[in-house]
Amino acid sequence: MDRGEWNAEPGQVVLRPVGEIDMATADEFEATLTEALRRPGVREVVVDLADLRFLDSSGVRVLVHGVSVGRERDVTMRVTGPQPGVARVLRITGVGTLLGLADSDADQPVARGWRGLD
């Protein structure tokens, strides 16, 4: 997982993970996210998922943990721009709203395919 990071405006940090967040990369992403949430003067951390192709349960865990760390420090943490596959994972796990996604981004009902999973 590669990541980009920048300050979009005062008090805001934007993280842009690239590639995949899975068991192999979750610890690195968690360290980066936690560091951003604990920076002095930060009021909001935005995780832009536009360049993330894959997210597994370990990545979901890191995002949910980030919300918790943010709340402890009175810092808002939210995600934006998930690709369809990543949005589907967030929708299935039911964490889209917690992560600040609009209903149209991640909380739509899951269409049912022949396996009941599609």
Side-chain angles (χ1 to χ4, degrees):
M1 175 205 70
D2 188 16
R3 66 170 172 84
E5 176 181 332
W6 69 92
N7 293 324
E9 56 187 67
Q12 183 185 63
V13 173
V14 179
L15 300 176
R16 190 171 198 163
V18 177
E20 301 180 354
I21 300 177
D22 56 18
M23 289 178 56
T25 60
D27 289 343
E28 175 188 354
F29 178 61
E30 183 170 23
T32 300
L33 178 59
T34 301
E35 187 273 326
L37 288 161
R38 291 185 173 157
R39 267 188 209 166
V42 170
R43 304 286 10 122
E44 180 179 43
V45 173
V46 178
V47 181
D48 182 348
L49 301 178
D51 292 328
L52 195 69
R53 295 183 317 270
F54 179 80
L55 178 74
D56 74 1
S57 61
S58 58
V60 172
R61 178 196 58 79
V62 170
L63 291 171
V64 171
H65 182 256
V67 171
S68 177
V69 170
R71 286 181 177 167
E72 290 172 3
R73 302 191 49 86
D74 198 26
V75 175
T76 300
M77 195 215 88
R78 63 185 174 91
V79 301
T80 63
Q83 292 188 19
V86 172
R88 183 171 186 267
V89 170
L90 298 176
R91 182 177 63 244
I92 288 170
T93 57
V95 300
T97 302
L98 174 69
L99 298 173
L101 290 173
D103 289 345
S104 62
D105 290 333
D107 292 329
Q108 296 175 354
V110 177
R112 300 292 177 198
W114 68 272
R115 294 176 292 168
L117 299 173
D118 299 323

